[in-house]
Amino acid sequence: MRTVRSVRELREMLAPERTKGRSIGLVPTMGAFHDGHLSLIRRARSECEVVVVSLFVNPRQFGPAEDLGSYPRDDARDLALAEAEGVDVLFAPPVDEVYPEGFDTTVTVGGLTSVLDGDPARRGPGHFAGVTTVVTKLFNMAAPDVAYFGQKDAQQALAVKKLVHDLDIPVRIQVCPIVRDPDGLALSSRNAYLDSEERRRALGLSRALQAAEETVASGTRDADAVIAAAQAELDKAGIVPEYLELRSASDLSEVDRVDGPTLLAVAARVGKARLIDNAVLRDNETSKEPNDMSSRPGANAPPAKRAAVTLSTLAEKRTLGEPIVMVTAYDYPSARVAESAEVDVALVGDSGAMTVLGYPSTVPVTLDELLTLAAAVRRGLSTPLLVGDMPFGSYEASNEEAIHNAQRFVKEAGCDAVKLERGGTSVERARAIIAAGIPVMGHVGLTPQTATTLGGYRSQGRTAERALSVAHDAMALQAAGCFAIVFEAIPSALTEAIMSRMRVPVVGIGAGPATDGQVLVFHDILGIHDGHAARFVKRYAGVRDEMIKGVAAFADDVRARRYPAPEHGYTMAPDEIERLHELLEEQTGEPFTGGFSL
Ligand code: AMP
C-alpha cells in the first residue's frame, strides 16, 4: 500500500492504472476506522482492481459549534487496517492540499439537503455543501469508476447520488448497508465519545427503528403511528431526538404513510456524541409500482405478506448492497415454495427441460412446453418477479420472432420479463424486445443452450481472451438495456473485474461472491434430482431421498394391506346400508352376499 499526501502523487499513481484499463474504487472517509468503514473497503476490494481510500477530516462539513477539534483521529491504526484490507492507495492529504489559500468554490445540492440534518436549526445545508464540495474534489482527484458510501449516512448518500447525476460525473455510487454491533448500535467514529452508561442509552436509537419496523410489519401504515412506536423506545431510553422523521427513501420528500420504501431517520445527542441512525421501512402490501406488465399476482395465489418485487426493487437492492435471491420454479408447488421462502426472482428456466421434462439437455424443450410451466408458476406466485426463459430456437432467427415469442411469455403465461442467452446476435434481440416494452434479463458465461459450441458444460472465460469476450458480452447486454444479467460458471476473478463496469444488477451462478445476487436451480438446492451436480451447486436438502422413502413406505403399506386403515375410509349410516342391500337385490334379482361397508 502507498500512502500519498498530494493530488499530484495520487494522479501519478493512478494514471498508469487507468491507461491499463484497470477499474478504480474510491472509499472516502474521515478516518478512525471501524467495521463500517472496513465493509466499504472490502466491497471496493471485491469489485475493483485498484482501491483508493481517502482519509481526510473535512473542516468544511463541521459547523462552528461542532467537534472538528476533538474528532477522533488515529492515523497509524487506520494505516495498518487499510494495509491489512489490501488497499492500494491511502490518500491522506493535509487540509491546505485540499483547500489551498484562495480556495473559494462551493458545490451545493438543493432540495434534499435542507431537511433532516440540513435543516438550518440543525447542522444546516452548509454541512452538506461541505460534503458535496469535498466529494466533488475527491472525484476529480481520483476519477474513480465506483465510489463507496454507507447507508448509515443515508442523506449524504442521496446528496452524493444527486450530485453525480446532476453534474454528469462519470462514477457509480455504491451505497453499502449499515454495519452494527451485535446489540444493534450502528458503528460510528463518534461512538468513541460514549461512556458505558451512554452507550447503553444509545441503544434506544436502533431499538426505536426496530419498533417502527415491527409496527409496519404488523400492517400499520400511518406515519404518526409508526413514529409513535419509535418515539416510545426513545422515551424509554431517555433520549430526546433532534429529529425522528419518516421521508421518502428516494428523495426525502415528506410522507404521511409508509407506502413504498420509506426512510425513518433519527438524530439525537447522547452525552457528548451526536448520533444518527436510520432504517428503510417497506410496506408489506403488493407494490403499486407501475412496472408490472402482467396480471400479477397469480389469480390463485393467496394474498401476499410483502411487497411485490419489481425492476426498481432489484436496482435498489443493488444500490443498497442487499443480495438478490433468485431460484428457478417450474410448477405451482415450486412457485408456492419460492413465494413462502420470499425469494426475489423466480425464473422459469429452460433447465425445466431436464429437471421436470426429462430431456437430456435444454435444447429440445419447446416454447409451448415452457409456457405451460410458466403459467403454472404464475398461478402460484404473488411477490417474486417472474422471468420466463426463452428456449433455444425461439429468438435467434429474427427480431420479429424474438418479440413475438417474448410477448407470448407475457401475455399467455403472465411473466414480468424474459431471459435470453449469450451476447452476439442476442444483444440485438434483447434491444428489440426491450423496445417492444418487455424487460429482458441477459445471460453470459456458460450458456447451456449453446454448450456444444462452448465445448460442453464447463466453466467459461478462463483465459484472458475468453474472459474479455465474456466481459464484452455483459457490457453489450447492459448497453442494450437489459435490467439484469446472469453470469454463469465463470471465474470469480473475472466477475470481480467486470462488476465495477456493471450498472445493472448481476445475478451469479457459479460466478463467485462479487455479484449482486445468486441463482440456483430449485432441484439442485433441494436435492430433488439424481444426476451430476455442477461444482457451484450447494445442496440445502435431500428431498429426493425423502420422496423415495415416502413412496416406498406407501408401497409397503399397500402390499402388506396396512393401508388403507379404517380412518382413511368414509362411513354410511347402518339403515342406509340396509336399504342399499335391498335396492341391489331388487335391481339385480340376486341376494346380496358381500360383506362390504361403504
Ligand atoms: P466517515 O468516516 O464517518 O465520514 O464515514 C466514511 C464512510 O463510511 C461514509 O460513507 C459512511 O456512511 C460510512 N459509514 C460510517 N459508519 C458506517 C456504518 N456503521 N456502516 C456502514 N457504513 C458506515
Side-chain angles (χ1 to χ4, degrees), residues 28-30 34 36-37 40 71 149-150 152-153 156 177-179 187:
T29 81
M30 298 206 300
H34 49 66
H37 298 109
L40 269 48
Y71 194 80
F149 292 84
K152 163 79 171 21
D153 298 271
Q156 168 177 292
I178 302 178
V179 178
L187 300 188

Side-chain angles (χ1 to χ4, degrees), residues 171-195:
V171 58
R172 170 164 75 84
I173 303 304
Q174 177 67 54
V175 182
C176 302
I178 302 178
V179 178
R180 299 176 179 280
D181 269 336
D183 58 9
L185 184 69
L187 300 188
S188 161
S189 304
R190 292 190 169 96
N191 290 352
Y193 299 149
L194 301 169
D195 65 25

Side-chain angles (χ1 to χ4, degrees), residues 199-249:
R199 196 192 169 290
R200 202 184 50 73
R201 279 209 303 127
L203 287 176
L205 265 63
S206 53
R207 293 204 177 122
L209 300 175
Q210 202 184 341
E213 278 168 338
E214 284 162 9
T215 306
V216 172
S218 72
T220 304
R221 300 274 169 281
D222 177 62
D224 290 341
V226 174
I227 295 277
Q231 181 65 54
E233 286 298 322
L234 295 180
D235 291 346
K236 273 192 224 160
I239 293 175
V240 181
E242 268 185 31
Y243 59 79
L244 173 66
E245 290 183 29
L246 270 175
R247 289 180 173 268
S248 153

